[in-house]
Short mmCIF file of all heavy atoms in Angstrom, two decimals:
data_model
loop_
_atom_site.label_atom_id
_atom_site.label_comp_id
_atom_site.label_asym_id
_atom_site.label_seq_id
_atom_site.Cartn_x
_atom_site.Cartn_y
_atom_site.Cartn_z
N MET A 1 34.42 -30.33 -22.65
CA MET A 1 33.31 -29.39 -22.76
C MET A 1 32.06 -30.10 -22.32
O MET A 1 31.71 -31.11 -22.84
CB MET A 1 33.21 -28.88 -24.19
CG MET A 1 31.96 -28.07 -24.43
SD MET A 1 31.60 -27.65 -26.15
CE MET A 1 32.96 -26.69 -26.63
N GLY A 2 31.40 -29.56 -21.26
CA GLY A 2 30.15 -30.13 -20.77
C GLY A 2 29.03 -29.79 -21.73
O GLY A 2 29.11 -28.92 -22.60
N ILE A 3 27.89 -30.45 -21.54
CA ILE A 3 26.76 -30.22 -22.44
C ILE A 3 26.17 -28.82 -22.27
O ILE A 3 25.71 -28.24 -23.22
CB ILE A 3 25.69 -31.32 -22.24
CG1 ILE A 3 24.71 -31.27 -23.32
CG2 ILE A 3 24.99 -31.17 -20.91
CD1 ILE A 3 24.29 -32.60 -23.83
N GLN A 4 26.26 -28.26 -21.03
CA GLN A 4 25.73 -26.94 -20.86
C GLN A 4 26.56 -25.89 -21.61
O GLN A 4 25.94 -24.98 -22.22
CB GLN A 4 25.75 -26.60 -19.37
CG GLN A 4 25.08 -25.24 -19.09
CD GLN A 4 24.90 -25.00 -17.60
OE1 GLN A 4 25.37 -25.79 -16.83
NE2 GLN A 4 24.30 -23.92 -17.22
N GLU A 5 27.85 -26.03 -21.60
CA GLU A 5 28.71 -25.08 -22.37
C GLU A 5 28.48 -25.22 -23.85
O GLU A 5 28.59 -24.28 -24.62
CB GLU A 5 30.16 -25.25 -22.09
CG GLU A 5 30.61 -24.84 -20.66
CD GLU A 5 30.53 -26.04 -19.69
OE1 GLU A 5 30.49 -27.14 -20.11
OE2 GLU A 5 30.56 -25.74 -18.51
N TYR A 6 28.17 -26.45 -24.32
CA TYR A 6 27.95 -26.68 -25.74
C TYR A 6 26.71 -25.94 -26.23
O TYR A 6 26.68 -25.40 -27.34
CB TYR A 6 27.81 -28.19 -26.03
CG TYR A 6 27.70 -28.51 -27.50
CD1 TYR A 6 28.83 -28.46 -28.29
CD2 TYR A 6 26.51 -28.82 -28.08
CE1 TYR A 6 28.77 -28.76 -29.63
CE2 TYR A 6 26.43 -29.07 -29.41
CZ TYR A 6 27.54 -29.04 -30.18
OH TYR A 6 27.47 -29.31 -31.53
N PHE A 7 25.67 -25.90 -25.40
CA PHE A 7 24.43 -25.22 -25.83
C PHE A 7 24.31 -23.83 -25.36
O PHE A 7 23.26 -23.23 -25.42
CB PHE A 7 23.24 -26.05 -25.36
CG PHE A 7 23.06 -27.34 -26.11
CD1 PHE A 7 23.23 -28.55 -25.45
CD2 PHE A 7 22.80 -27.35 -27.45
CE1 PHE A 7 23.07 -29.75 -26.17
CE2 PHE A 7 22.63 -28.53 -28.14
CZ PHE A 7 22.81 -29.74 -27.47
N GLU A 8 25.42 -23.21 -24.90
CA GLU A 8 25.37 -21.81 -24.52
C GLU A 8 25.14 -20.96 -25.74
O GLU A 8 24.49 -19.91 -25.65
CB GLU A 8 26.67 -21.41 -23.85
CG GLU A 8 26.95 -22.08 -22.54
CD GLU A 8 26.54 -21.22 -21.34
OE1 GLU A 8 26.55 -20.02 -21.43
OE2 GLU A 8 26.22 -21.82 -20.35
N SER A 9 25.61 -21.35 -26.88
CA SER A 9 25.41 -20.62 -28.09
C SER A 9 24.06 -20.93 -28.72
O SER A 9 23.67 -22.12 -28.78
CB SER A 9 26.51 -20.95 -29.10
OG SER A 9 26.18 -20.46 -30.37
N ASP A 10 23.31 -19.89 -29.13
CA ASP A 10 22.02 -20.14 -29.74
C ASP A 10 22.15 -20.93 -31.07
O ASP A 10 21.35 -21.77 -31.44
CB ASP A 10 21.27 -18.84 -30.01
CG ASP A 10 20.78 -18.18 -28.77
OD1 ASP A 10 20.69 -18.89 -27.73
OD2 ASP A 10 20.48 -17.01 -28.81
N ILE A 11 23.22 -20.62 -31.82
CA ILE A 11 23.42 -21.28 -33.10
C ILE A 11 23.62 -22.75 -32.95
O ILE A 11 23.02 -23.55 -33.70
CB ILE A 11 24.65 -20.60 -33.86
CG1 ILE A 11 24.45 -19.11 -33.99
CG2 ILE A 11 24.90 -21.30 -35.13
CD1 ILE A 11 23.23 -18.72 -34.81
N ARG A 12 24.40 -23.18 -32.01
CA ARG A 12 24.59 -24.62 -31.74
C ARG A 12 23.27 -25.27 -31.38
O ARG A 12 22.99 -26.38 -31.77
CB ARG A 12 25.61 -24.85 -30.71
CG ARG A 12 27.02 -24.51 -31.15
CD ARG A 12 27.98 -24.81 -30.00
NE ARG A 12 29.33 -24.45 -30.45
CZ ARG A 12 30.29 -24.27 -29.60
NH1 ARG A 12 30.13 -24.35 -28.33
NH2 ARG A 12 31.49 -23.93 -30.02
N PHE A 13 22.46 -24.58 -30.58
CA PHE A 13 21.17 -25.13 -30.19
C PHE A 13 20.27 -25.27 -31.44
O PHE A 13 19.59 -26.31 -31.56
CB PHE A 13 20.46 -24.23 -29.18
CG PHE A 13 19.11 -24.66 -28.79
CD1 PHE A 13 18.93 -25.74 -27.97
CD2 PHE A 13 17.99 -24.01 -29.29
CE1 PHE A 13 17.67 -26.20 -27.58
CE2 PHE A 13 16.71 -24.41 -28.95
CZ PHE A 13 16.58 -25.50 -28.08
N TYR A 14 20.27 -24.33 -32.32
CA TYR A 14 19.44 -24.41 -33.53
C TYR A 14 19.91 -25.56 -34.43
O TYR A 14 19.09 -26.25 -35.01
CB TYR A 14 19.49 -23.06 -34.33
CG TYR A 14 18.89 -21.88 -33.62
CD1 TYR A 14 19.39 -20.64 -33.79
CD2 TYR A 14 17.85 -22.09 -32.69
CE1 TYR A 14 18.83 -19.55 -33.12
CE2 TYR A 14 17.28 -20.99 -32.05
CZ TYR A 14 17.79 -19.70 -32.27
OH TYR A 14 17.24 -18.65 -31.62
N TYR A 15 21.23 -25.75 -34.55
CA TYR A 15 21.76 -26.85 -35.28
C TYR A 15 21.31 -28.20 -34.64
O TYR A 15 20.87 -29.13 -35.38
CB TYR A 15 23.27 -26.82 -35.39
CG TYR A 15 23.79 -25.89 -36.44
CD1 TYR A 15 24.78 -24.95 -36.15
CD2 TYR A 15 23.36 -26.01 -37.78
CE1 TYR A 15 25.27 -24.14 -37.15
CE2 TYR A 15 23.88 -25.18 -38.74
CZ TYR A 15 24.80 -24.23 -38.41
OH TYR A 15 25.31 -23.39 -39.40
N ALA A 16 21.37 -28.27 -33.35
CA ALA A 16 20.99 -29.51 -32.64
C ALA A 16 19.48 -29.78 -32.82
O ALA A 16 19.12 -30.96 -33.06
CB ALA A 16 21.33 -29.36 -31.15
N VAL A 17 18.70 -28.75 -32.82
CA VAL A 17 17.23 -28.94 -33.06
C VAL A 17 16.98 -29.44 -34.47
O VAL A 17 16.20 -30.35 -34.69
CB VAL A 17 16.42 -27.61 -32.77
CG1 VAL A 17 15.04 -27.72 -33.30
CG2 VAL A 17 16.47 -27.32 -31.31
N GLY A 18 17.69 -28.90 -35.41
CA GLY A 18 17.55 -29.32 -36.82
C GLY A 18 17.97 -30.80 -37.03
O GLY A 18 17.27 -31.55 -37.68
N VAL A 19 19.03 -31.19 -36.42
CA VAL A 19 19.50 -32.59 -36.51
C VAL A 19 18.54 -33.49 -35.86
O VAL A 19 18.22 -34.56 -36.32
CB VAL A 19 20.90 -32.75 -35.92
CG1 VAL A 19 21.33 -34.18 -35.76
CG2 VAL A 19 21.95 -31.96 -36.80
N PHE A 20 17.99 -33.09 -34.67
CA PHE A 20 17.00 -33.87 -33.98
C PHE A 20 15.72 -34.08 -34.80
O PHE A 20 15.23 -35.24 -34.90
CB PHE A 20 16.67 -33.25 -32.59
CG PHE A 20 15.57 -33.95 -31.85
CD1 PHE A 20 15.83 -35.17 -31.29
CD2 PHE A 20 14.31 -33.41 -31.77
CE1 PHE A 20 14.86 -35.85 -30.58
CE2 PHE A 20 13.26 -34.08 -31.14
CZ PHE A 20 13.58 -35.30 -30.52
N VAL A 21 15.27 -33.02 -35.46
CA VAL A 21 14.09 -33.16 -36.30
C VAL A 21 14.31 -34.10 -37.46
O VAL A 21 13.45 -34.95 -37.80
CB VAL A 21 13.62 -31.73 -36.80
CG1 VAL A 21 12.60 -31.87 -37.88
CG2 VAL A 21 13.09 -30.93 -35.63
N MET A 22 15.51 -34.03 -38.06
CA MET A 22 15.84 -34.93 -39.15
C MET A 22 15.91 -36.38 -38.67
O MET A 22 15.41 -37.29 -39.37
CB MET A 22 17.15 -34.49 -39.80
CG MET A 22 17.05 -33.26 -40.62
SD MET A 22 18.60 -32.66 -41.32
CE MET A 22 18.99 -34.04 -42.36
N LEU A 23 16.45 -36.58 -37.51
CA LEU A 23 16.54 -38.00 -36.91
C LEU A 23 15.13 -38.51 -36.66
O LEU A 23 14.87 -39.68 -36.94
CB LEU A 23 17.38 -37.97 -35.66
CG LEU A 23 18.86 -37.84 -35.84
CD1 LEU A 23 19.54 -37.75 -34.49
CD2 LEU A 23 19.42 -38.95 -36.65
N VAL A 24 14.26 -37.68 -36.14
CA VAL A 24 12.89 -38.11 -35.87
C VAL A 24 12.17 -38.48 -37.20
O VAL A 24 11.49 -39.52 -37.28
CB VAL A 24 12.11 -37.04 -35.12
CG1 VAL A 24 10.63 -37.35 -35.10
CG2 VAL A 24 12.63 -36.93 -33.67
N PHE A 25 12.36 -37.64 -38.21
CA PHE A 25 11.74 -37.93 -39.56
C PHE A 25 12.25 -39.22 -40.15
O PHE A 25 11.42 -40.05 -40.56
CB PHE A 25 12.00 -36.71 -40.46
CG PHE A 25 11.40 -36.84 -41.82
CD1 PHE A 25 10.06 -36.58 -42.00
CD2 PHE A 25 12.11 -37.27 -42.90
CE1 PHE A 25 9.45 -36.71 -43.23
CE2 PHE A 25 11.55 -37.43 -44.17
CZ PHE A 25 10.21 -37.14 -44.33
N VAL A 26 13.54 -39.38 -40.18
CA VAL A 26 14.11 -40.58 -40.81
C VAL A 26 13.79 -41.85 -39.99
O VAL A 26 13.44 -42.86 -40.60
CB VAL A 26 15.66 -40.40 -40.96
CG1 VAL A 26 16.31 -41.70 -41.35
CG2 VAL A 26 15.95 -39.30 -41.99
N SER A 27 13.82 -41.76 -38.65
CA SER A 27 13.49 -42.91 -37.86
C SER A 27 12.05 -43.22 -37.93
O SER A 27 11.65 -44.42 -37.97
CB SER A 27 13.92 -42.70 -36.45
OG SER A 27 13.20 -41.64 -35.82
N GLY A 28 11.17 -42.23 -38.09
CA GLY A 28 9.74 -42.54 -38.30
C GLY A 28 9.47 -43.26 -39.58
O GLY A 28 8.70 -44.24 -39.61
N ILE A 29 10.13 -42.86 -40.68
CA ILE A 29 9.96 -43.58 -41.91
C ILE A 29 10.53 -44.94 -41.85
O ILE A 29 9.98 -45.92 -42.36
CB ILE A 29 10.59 -42.73 -43.06
CG1 ILE A 29 9.76 -41.48 -43.30
CG2 ILE A 29 10.68 -43.59 -44.33
CD1 ILE A 29 10.23 -40.60 -44.34
N ALA A 30 11.70 -45.11 -41.20
CA ALA A 30 12.30 -46.43 -41.05
C ALA A 30 11.46 -47.35 -40.24
O ALA A 30 11.28 -48.53 -40.61
CB ALA A 30 13.72 -46.30 -40.42
N VAL A 31 10.91 -46.92 -39.13
CA VAL A 31 10.07 -47.76 -38.30
C VAL A 31 8.79 -48.12 -39.07
O VAL A 31 8.35 -49.25 -39.02
CB VAL A 31 9.72 -47.03 -37.02
CG1 VAL A 31 8.56 -47.70 -36.21
CG2 VAL A 31 10.95 -46.94 -36.06
N THR A 32 8.25 -47.16 -39.83
CA THR A 32 7.06 -47.45 -40.58
C THR A 32 7.31 -48.51 -41.63
O THR A 32 6.50 -49.37 -41.84
CB THR A 32 6.55 -46.17 -41.28
OG1 THR A 32 6.28 -45.19 -40.27
CG2 THR A 32 5.29 -46.42 -42.07
N ALA A 33 8.49 -48.45 -42.29
CA ALA A 33 8.86 -49.44 -43.31
C ALA A 33 9.13 -50.79 -42.69
O ALA A 33 8.69 -51.83 -43.19
CB ALA A 33 10.07 -48.94 -44.09
N ILE A 34 9.82 -50.83 -41.54
CA ILE A 34 10.20 -52.06 -40.94
C ILE A 34 8.96 -52.79 -40.38
O ILE A 34 8.83 -54.03 -40.57
CB ILE A 34 11.21 -51.86 -39.84
CG1 ILE A 34 12.56 -51.47 -40.45
CG2 ILE A 34 11.38 -53.10 -38.98
CD1 ILE A 34 13.59 -51.00 -39.45
N LEU A 35 8.07 -52.08 -39.74
CA LEU A 35 6.88 -52.69 -39.12
C LEU A 35 5.73 -52.85 -40.12
O LEU A 35 4.65 -53.34 -39.74
CB LEU A 35 6.41 -51.91 -37.94
CG LEU A 35 7.44 -51.82 -36.78
CD1 LEU A 35 6.89 -51.02 -35.67
CD2 LEU A 35 7.79 -53.20 -36.29
N ASP A 36 5.91 -52.45 -41.38
CA ASP A 36 4.88 -52.55 -42.39
C ASP A 36 3.59 -51.83 -41.95
O ASP A 36 2.49 -52.35 -42.15
CB ASP A 36 4.49 -54.04 -42.68
CG ASP A 36 4.98 -54.41 -44.06
OD1 ASP A 36 5.44 -53.57 -44.80
OD2 ASP A 36 4.84 -55.63 -44.37
N LEU A 37 3.74 -50.64 -41.35
CA LEU A 37 2.59 -49.91 -40.94
C LEU A 37 1.93 -49.14 -42.06
O LEU A 37 0.76 -48.73 -42.02
CB LEU A 37 2.99 -48.92 -39.82
CG LEU A 37 3.52 -49.56 -38.55
CD1 LEU A 37 4.00 -48.53 -37.58
CD2 LEU A 37 2.44 -50.43 -37.91
N ALA A 38 2.71 -48.83 -43.09
CA ALA A 38 2.17 -48.11 -44.25
C ALA A 38 2.91 -48.62 -45.46
O ALA A 38 4.00 -49.15 -45.40
CB ALA A 38 2.36 -46.57 -44.03
N VAL A 39 2.33 -48.26 -46.62
CA VAL A 39 3.00 -48.60 -47.88
C VAL A 39 4.05 -47.54 -48.20
O VAL A 39 3.77 -46.37 -48.28
CB VAL A 39 1.94 -48.70 -49.00
CG1 VAL A 39 2.63 -48.93 -50.33
CG2 VAL A 39 0.91 -49.73 -48.72
N ILE A 40 5.28 -47.96 -48.32
CA ILE A 40 6.38 -47.10 -48.64
C ILE A 40 6.64 -47.26 -50.14
O ILE A 40 7.16 -48.32 -50.54
CB ILE A 40 7.63 -47.39 -47.81
CG1 ILE A 40 7.36 -47.38 -46.30
CG2 ILE A 40 8.76 -46.42 -48.14
CD1 ILE A 40 6.98 -46.01 -45.78
N ASP A 41 6.30 -46.28 -50.90
CA ASP A 41 6.55 -46.38 -52.36
C ASP A 41 6.97 -45.00 -52.87
O ASP A 41 7.33 -44.12 -52.10
CB ASP A 41 5.36 -46.92 -53.09
CG ASP A 41 4.10 -46.08 -52.90
OD1 ASP A 41 4.14 -45.07 -52.18
OD2 ASP A 41 3.09 -46.46 -53.46
N ARG A 42 6.91 -44.81 -54.16
CA ARG A 42 7.40 -43.53 -54.72
C ARG A 42 6.56 -42.34 -54.43
O ARG A 42 6.91 -41.23 -54.65
CB ARG A 42 7.66 -43.66 -56.22
CG ARG A 42 6.67 -44.36 -56.97
CD ARG A 42 7.04 -44.56 -58.45
NE ARG A 42 5.75 -44.99 -59.03
CZ ARG A 42 5.23 -44.55 -60.12
NH1 ARG A 42 5.95 -43.67 -60.83
NH2 ARG A 42 4.14 -44.95 -60.56
N ARG A 43 5.37 -42.55 -53.86
CA ARG A 43 4.52 -41.43 -53.46
C ARG A 43 5.13 -40.68 -52.29
O ARG A 43 4.80 -39.52 -52.04
CB ARG A 43 3.12 -41.86 -53.05
CG ARG A 43 2.28 -42.37 -54.21
CD ARG A 43 0.96 -42.82 -53.76
NE ARG A 43 1.13 -44.04 -52.95
CZ ARG A 43 0.13 -44.64 -52.32
NH1 ARG A 43 -1.06 -44.18 -52.36
NH2 ARG A 43 0.40 -45.72 -51.62
N LEU A 44 6.08 -41.33 -51.62
CA LEU A 44 6.75 -40.74 -50.48
C LEU A 44 7.92 -39.84 -50.89
O LEU A 44 8.37 -38.96 -50.11
CB LEU A 44 7.25 -41.85 -49.58
CG LEU A 44 7.75 -41.48 -48.16
CD1 LEU A 44 6.60 -40.87 -47.38
CD2 LEU A 44 8.29 -42.67 -47.46
N ILE A 45 8.39 -39.98 -52.10
CA ILE A 45 9.51 -39.21 -52.58
C ILE A 45 9.29 -37.69 -52.51
O ILE A 45 10.13 -36.95 -52.01
CB ILE A 45 9.96 -39.66 -53.96
CG1 ILE A 45 10.48 -41.07 -53.92
CG2 ILE A 45 11.00 -38.73 -54.60
CD1 ILE A 45 10.75 -41.71 -55.28
N PRO A 46 8.13 -37.14 -53.01
CA PRO A 46 7.98 -35.72 -52.90
C PRO A 46 7.96 -35.17 -51.47
O PRO A 46 8.46 -34.11 -51.17
CB PRO A 46 6.60 -35.48 -53.56
CG PRO A 46 6.40 -36.63 -54.46
CD PRO A 46 7.07 -37.79 -53.80
N LEU A 47 7.40 -35.98 -50.53
CA LEU A 47 7.40 -35.55 -49.14
C LEU A 47 8.87 -35.49 -48.57
O LEU A 47 9.21 -34.52 -47.90
CB LEU A 47 6.59 -36.57 -48.30
CG LEU A 47 6.62 -36.31 -46.82
CD1 LEU A 47 5.86 -35.03 -46.46
CD2 LEU A 47 6.05 -37.52 -46.06
N CYS A 48 9.64 -36.51 -48.90
CA CYS A 48 11.05 -36.51 -48.47
C CYS A 48 11.85 -35.38 -49.07
O CYS A 48 12.63 -34.73 -48.39
CB CYS A 48 11.66 -37.86 -48.75
SG CYS A 48 10.96 -39.23 -47.78
N VAL A 49 11.70 -35.18 -50.37
CA VAL A 49 12.41 -34.11 -51.02
C VAL A 49 11.98 -32.74 -50.45
O VAL A 49 12.85 -31.91 -50.16
CB VAL A 49 12.14 -34.12 -52.57
CG1 VAL A 49 12.62 -32.86 -53.25
CG2 VAL A 49 12.80 -35.38 -53.15
N GLY A 50 10.68 -32.52 -50.27
CA GLY A 50 10.25 -31.25 -49.65
C GLY A 50 10.77 -31.08 -48.24
O GLY A 50 11.20 -29.97 -47.87
N PHE A 51 10.77 -32.15 -47.47
CA PHE A 51 11.30 -32.01 -46.08
C PHE A 51 12.78 -31.69 -46.08
O PHE A 51 13.19 -30.76 -45.37
CB PHE A 51 11.05 -33.30 -45.35
CG PHE A 51 11.67 -33.34 -43.98
CD1 PHE A 51 11.10 -32.63 -42.95
CD2 PHE A 51 12.82 -34.04 -43.74
CE1 PHE A 51 11.66 -32.61 -41.69
CE2 PHE A 51 13.40 -34.02 -42.44
CZ PHE A 51 12.81 -33.29 -41.43
N PHE A 52 13.55 -32.39 -46.95
CA PHE A 52 15.01 -32.09 -46.88
C PHE A 52 15.31 -30.74 -47.55
O PHE A 52 16.31 -30.12 -47.13
CB PHE A 52 15.73 -33.24 -47.55
CG PHE A 52 15.80 -34.49 -46.62
CD1 PHE A 52 15.12 -35.61 -46.94
CD2 PHE A 52 16.49 -34.38 -45.41
CE1 PHE A 52 15.21 -36.73 -46.08
CE2 PHE A 52 16.55 -35.47 -44.56
CZ PHE A 52 15.88 -36.64 -44.87
N LEU A 53 14.52 -30.23 -48.49
CA LEU A 53 14.71 -28.91 -48.99
C LEU A 53 14.40 -27.88 -47.88
O LEU A 53 15.14 -26.89 -47.70
CB LEU A 53 13.83 -28.67 -50.22
CG LEU A 53 14.32 -29.18 -51.50
CD1 LEU A 53 13.28 -28.97 -52.62
CD2 LEU A 53 15.61 -28.56 -51.91
N PHE A 54 13.34 -28.14 -47.10
CA PHE A 54 13.04 -27.24 -45.98
C PHE A 54 14.18 -27.24 -45.00
O PHE A 54 14.57 -26.18 -44.48
CB PHE A 54 11.75 -27.71 -45.33
CG PHE A 54 11.44 -27.00 -44.03
CD1 PHE A 54 10.95 -25.69 -44.03
CD2 PHE A 54 11.68 -27.62 -42.81
CE1 PHE A 54 10.72 -25.04 -42.87
CE2 PHE A 54 11.46 -26.98 -41.64
CZ PHE A 54 10.97 -25.65 -41.66
N MET A 55 14.71 -28.43 -44.65
CA MET A 55 15.77 -28.47 -43.68
C MET A 55 17.05 -27.83 -44.22
O MET A 55 17.86 -27.20 -43.48
CB MET A 55 16.06 -29.97 -43.25
CG MET A 55 14.92 -30.53 -42.48
SD MET A 55 14.39 -29.61 -41.01
CE MET A 55 15.81 -29.62 -39.98
N PHE A 56 17.31 -27.93 -45.52
CA PHE A 56 18.43 -27.24 -46.16
C PHE A 56 18.33 -25.76 -45.99
O PHE A 56 19.29 -25.06 -45.58
CB PHE A 56 18.52 -27.62 -47.63
CG PHE A 56 19.59 -26.98 -48.37
CD1 PHE A 56 20.93 -27.29 -48.18
CD2 PHE A 56 19.27 -25.95 -49.30
CE1 PHE A 56 21.91 -26.63 -48.89
CE2 PHE A 56 20.25 -25.33 -50.03
CZ PHE A 56 21.60 -25.65 -49.79
N VAL A 57 17.12 -25.20 -46.27
CA VAL A 57 16.90 -23.78 -46.09
C VAL A 57 17.05 -23.41 -44.62
O VAL A 57 17.59 -22.33 -44.29
CB VAL A 57 15.53 -23.37 -46.63
CG1 VAL A 57 15.15 -21.93 -46.26
CG2 VAL A 57 15.53 -23.55 -48.16
N TYR A 58 16.57 -24.24 -43.75
CA TYR A 58 16.68 -23.99 -42.26
C TYR A 58 18.17 -23.85 -41.88
O TYR A 58 18.53 -22.92 -41.18
CB TYR A 58 16.04 -25.13 -41.49
CG TYR A 58 16.21 -25.06 -40.04
CD1 TYR A 58 15.44 -24.22 -39.24
CD2 TYR A 58 17.16 -25.86 -39.40
CE1 TYR A 58 15.63 -24.17 -37.88
CE2 TYR A 58 17.38 -25.82 -38.03
CZ TYR A 58 16.58 -24.96 -37.29
OH TYR A 58 16.77 -24.89 -35.91
N PHE A 59 18.98 -24.83 -42.28
CA PHE A 59 20.38 -24.79 -41.94
C PHE A 59 21.14 -23.60 -42.59
O PHE A 59 22.01 -22.99 -42.00
CB PHE A 59 21.13 -26.06 -42.28
CG PHE A 59 20.77 -27.22 -41.31
CD1 PHE A 59 20.14 -28.38 -41.79
CD2 PHE A 59 21.11 -27.10 -39.99
CE1 PHE A 59 19.84 -29.39 -40.88
CE2 PHE A 59 20.81 -28.08 -39.08
CZ PHE A 59 20.18 -29.23 -39.54
N ILE A 60 20.75 -23.21 -43.81
CA ILE A 60 21.33 -22.07 -44.48
C ILE A 60 20.98 -20.78 -43.70
O ILE A 60 21.83 -19.95 -43.47
CB ILE A 60 20.87 -21.95 -45.91
CG1 ILE A 60 21.44 -23.10 -46.76
CG2 ILE A 60 21.30 -20.60 -46.52
CD1 ILE A 60 22.96 -23.17 -46.87
N SER A 61 19.75 -20.69 -43.29
CA SER A 61 19.32 -19.50 -42.52
C SER A 61 20.02 -19.42 -41.17
O SER A 61 20.37 -18.33 -40.71
CB SER A 61 17.78 -19.42 -42.38
OG SER A 61 17.33 -20.47 -41.56
N VAL A 62 20.21 -20.56 -40.53
CA VAL A 62 20.92 -20.53 -39.21
C VAL A 62 22.41 -20.10 -39.47
O VAL A 62 22.94 -19.38 -38.72
CB VAL A 62 20.84 -21.91 -38.50
CG1 VAL A 62 21.78 -21.97 -37.37
CG2 VAL A 62 19.42 -22.18 -38.09
N SER A 63 22.97 -20.62 -40.54
CA SER A 63 24.35 -20.24 -40.88
C SER A 63 24.46 -18.77 -41.22
O SER A 63 25.45 -18.12 -40.83
CB SER A 63 24.87 -21.06 -42.04
OG SER A 63 24.82 -22.41 -41.75
N ILE A 64 23.51 -18.21 -41.88
CA ILE A 64 23.53 -16.80 -42.22
C ILE A 64 23.43 -15.94 -41.00
O ILE A 64 24.02 -14.83 -40.84
CB ILE A 64 22.45 -16.46 -43.24
CG1 ILE A 64 22.85 -17.02 -44.60
CG2 ILE A 64 22.24 -14.95 -43.34
CD1 ILE A 64 21.84 -16.93 -45.63
N GLN A 65 22.67 -16.45 -39.96
CA GLN A 65 22.52 -15.72 -38.76
C GLN A 65 23.87 -15.48 -38.05
O GLN A 65 24.04 -14.51 -37.30
CB GLN A 65 21.59 -16.42 -37.78
CG GLN A 65 21.26 -15.64 -36.56
CD GLN A 65 20.21 -16.40 -35.69
OE1 GLN A 65 19.78 -17.48 -36.03
NE2 GLN A 65 19.81 -15.77 -34.62
N THR A 66 24.81 -16.34 -38.25
CA THR A 66 26.18 -16.17 -37.61
C THR A 66 26.89 -14.98 -38.27
O THR A 66 27.82 -14.48 -37.63
CB THR A 66 27.02 -17.44 -37.76
OG1 THR A 66 27.26 -17.74 -39.17
CG2 THR A 66 26.41 -18.62 -37.10
N LEU A 67 26.52 -14.60 -39.42
CA LEU A 67 27.19 -13.49 -40.09
C LEU A 67 26.69 -12.11 -39.61
O LEU A 67 27.31 -11.09 -39.83
CB LEU A 67 26.96 -13.57 -41.62
CG LEU A 67 27.51 -14.80 -42.31
CD1 LEU A 67 27.13 -14.81 -43.75
CD2 LEU A 67 28.99 -14.92 -42.13
N GLU A 68 25.50 -12.12 -38.92
CA GLU A 68 24.97 -10.84 -38.38
C GLU A 68 25.85 -10.32 -37.26
O GLU A 68 26.33 -11.14 -36.43
CB GLU A 68 23.55 -11.02 -37.91
CG GLU A 68 22.56 -11.38 -38.99
CD GLU A 68 21.18 -11.60 -38.47
OE1 GLU A 68 20.99 -11.60 -37.24
OE2 GLU A 68 20.29 -11.84 -39.30
N PRO A 69 25.99 -9.02 -37.16
CA PRO A 69 26.78 -8.49 -36.04
C PRO A 69 26.05 -8.63 -34.76
O PRO A 69 24.78 -8.59 -34.74
CB PRO A 69 26.97 -7.02 -36.40
CG PRO A 69 25.90 -6.70 -37.34
CD PRO A 69 25.58 -7.99 -38.09
N ASP A 70 26.74 -8.80 -33.60
CA ASP A 70 26.10 -8.91 -32.31
C ASP A 70 25.56 -7.55 -31.95
O ASP A 70 26.13 -6.55 -32.13
CB ASP A 70 27.11 -9.36 -31.26
CG ASP A 70 27.62 -10.80 -31.51
OD1 ASP A 70 26.84 -11.53 -32.09
OD2 ASP A 70 28.75 -11.11 -31.10
N SER A 71 24.34 -7.59 -31.35
CA SER A 71 23.75 -6.32 -30.92
C SER A 71 23.80 -6.19 -29.44
O SER A 71 23.87 -7.05 -28.66
CB SER A 71 22.36 -6.15 -31.37
OG SER A 71 21.68 -7.33 -31.75
#
């Protein structure tokens, strides 16, 4: 399966965008921690929890969209 056929479906594209956003978020925090650009402590926990709750709702809403009939 070529990459164009993989992204023919809107749902697969939405999943790919969600995974990409999560990778950018996690890699940004990792780079910040490794390079000592900011203080990484427990103040970051609410931000991470909120972000992953948002992404959870995002993936649930994309999954529910597959249940809708085609128009």
Side-chain angles (χ1 to χ4, degrees):
M1 172 190 297
I3 192 139
Q4 185 174 3
E5 290 94 16
Y6 185 76
F7 288 115
E8 295 264 332
S9 167
D10 288 343
I11 302 301
R12 289 181 182 160
F13 177 75
Y14 297 148
Y15 279 128
V17 168
V19 169
F20 176 73
V21 168
M22 288 176 61
L23 287 175
V24 168
F25 181 79
V26 170
S27 64
I29 290 179
V31 167
T32 302
I34 290 171
L35 297 179
D36 250 356
L37 298 175
V39 176
I40 305 294
D41 59 0
R42 42 186 192 135
R43 291 179 292 175
L44 193 62
I45 293 173
L47 175 69
C48 291
V49 169
F51 174 76
F52 286 112
L53 281 175
F54 171 76
M55 292 309 295
F56 176 72
V57 171
Y58 173 80
F59 284 118
I60 294 296
S61 66
V62 169
S63 299
I64 289 174
Q65 187 177 1
T66 62
L67 300 174
E68 294 178 356
D70 294 333
S71 17

